Amino acid sequence: MKKTVVLSVFGTRPEAIKMAPLVLELAQRKEIRSIVAVTAQHREMLDQVLDLFDISPEHDLNLMQQRQGLPELTGRVLSQLTPVLEKEKPDLVLVHGDTTTTMAASLAAFYLKIPVGHVEAGLRTPERYNPFPEEMNRRLTSQIAELHFAPTQTARENLLRNGLEKERIFVTGNTVIDALFKTAEKLPPPPQEKILLLTAHRRENWGEPMQNICRAALRLVERNQDLKILFPVHLNPVVRETVFGILGKHPRIQLIDPLDYAPFVQAMRSSHLILTDSGGVQEEGPSFGKPVLVLRTTTERPEAIDAGTVQLVGIEEEDIFSSAQRLLDDPKAYEKMARAMNPYGDGKACPRIVHAILEFLGMPQPALDMFSP
Ligand code: UD1
Ligand code: UDP
């Protein structure tokens, strides 16, 4: 029997974490030949994830360059992925989320008239430039894709508002929860420590917002003598210059290289409080009942904010400092936020996605329930 070819394309750390359980699920289906092509928009941070999940891509474009710009990177993905698509002739290309890899890979597939399935579809903010360039990447990818795997009901509604066909939208939960559950179940019980876990990397936070975040962190350790901050710093040199410049010398602020996913999951579970501008961490923190303060002015992930475990605190030094200090001072406020919940998934997103793919490719499947928190 000729197998259906599904080619998954990804390039950065978060895409890899969220696509890894799906790639593993696809590999188990006898009807499918699963192929992985990585752009390596990230290098070390991608390889960390490929190693952990034991994924050896059939194609590695090795595209990352230091301080890469958006137009060049977009051009390299388009021109270097196209020969791979021409060679493999997939029946479906899968992309994830909202990076340059996502948008350019979708376009490359479209030019060859290959259908695209979009994992983590339908996230939206009301601002076209925030997050930048991710908001436009996801809007463009939605227009190209023929299958939309929406993590939540809110994401589905966003897609319907964009005029996309409801028969092609599947509410699956976010695959990050599949990855998180798989990883956490192998870890020992975490120690509980008075640690604030901090991550920040977003382009729109480069410059003054990143300085504000760092100054607020410094004030927090100075005010709270028993507090330590753990900050795995993204490898982007623009981020590192600011972070090491302001926080490099404090004995209770530990600046480290990006952690492998499993130790990072353990760091989230051990921490008292999480401050982040990351998309993925906003989704993961609530699973462990950790209050998450989001260092952004807008978010495409409103579900945990509505549930009360995540708070959008903005990018001003005083707002960040006072929001975190309040949770350190006021046990009632802390307890109110520290409730474990999974509004983003139940760990079964990947089987749901594969089910929808098989149906789309003409292989009818028994009925399956979609995600409902
Ligand atoms: C990218 C994504 C962003 C995502 C983030 C996750 C785009 C435009 N941005 O942002 O949506 O949230 O990844 O982390 O798609 N670098 C290394 N080694 C690595 C990774 C990065 O040295 O393993 C350095 C390189 O100098 C590289 C720079 O970081 O040029 C920026 O990488 P890039 O992927 O362009 O942007 P990110 O800020 O990482
Ligand atoms: N992460 C990791 N090591 C780290 C920091 C984060 O493995 O040192 C994981 C985190 O658990 C989440 C993902 O990386 O799943 C988020 O990636 P990032 O913040 O780079 O991107 P975003 O989610 O904002 O696009």
Side-chain angles (χ1 to χ4, degrees), residues 2 15 34 141 241 256 275:
K2 189 180 169 296
E15 292 166 83
S34 167
T141 304
E241 278 155 18
I256 55 171
L275 267 63

Side-chain angles (χ1 to χ4, degrees), residues 41 43-44 63-69 72 76 235-238:
Q41 173 178 336
R43 187 68 276 172
E44 302 89 329
L63 293 186
M64 192 192 88
Q65 292 179 3
Q66 286 305 325
R67 295 176 190 262
Q68 58 205 359
E72 305 90 79
R76 289 203 301 279
L235 292 182
N236 193 327
V238 182

Side-chain angles (χ1 to χ4, degrees), residues 77-95:
V77 175
L78 259 177
S79 61
Q80 296 192 38
L81 184 64
T82 297
V84 172
L85 299 179
E86 285 169 337
K87 175 172 180 281
E88 298 289 2
K89 298 187 177 37
D91 297 287
L92 181 72
V93 166
L94 292 177
V95 297

Side-chain angles (χ1 to χ4, degrees), residues 19-34:
M19 287 298 275
L22 182 55
V23 166
L24 299 179
E25 184 75 29
L26 286 166
Q28 284 177 16
R29 302 300 173 112
K30 60 181 185 327
E31 309 91 323
I32 292 176
R33 185 160 88 88
S34 167

Side-chain angles (χ1 to χ4, degrees), residues 192-196 227 268-275 285 288-293 308-311 323-340:
Q192 293 305 304
E193 297 173 272
K194 194 77 179 282
I195 285 182
L196 187 158
L227 183 70
M268 285 191 282
R269 294 166 89 203
S270 311
S271 68
H272 183 68
L273 185 61
I274 301 174
L275 267 63
F288 300 132
K290 302 296 173 178
V292 178
L293 302 185
T309 64
V310 172
Q311 192 190 336
S323 306
Q325 190 59 46
R326 179 165 161 265
L327 294 180
L328 294 169
D329 283 341
D330 180 352
K332 279 210 180 98
Y334 182 89
E335 289 308 325
K336 220 171 143 200
M337 282 187 81
R339 283 178 293 114

Side-chain angles (χ1 to χ4, degrees), residues 12 14 41-45 64-68 70 99-100 133-134 201-203 234-237:
T12 65
Q41 173 178 336
H42 284 174
R43 187 68 276 172
E44 302 89 329
M45 288 161 61
M64 192 192 88
Q65 292 179 3
Q66 286 305 325
R67 295 176 190 262
Q68 58 205 359
L70 297 175
T99 70
T100 295
E134 291 84 3
H201 71 85
R202 304 223 74 83
R203 256 185 167 72
H234 193 291
L235 292 182
N236 193 327

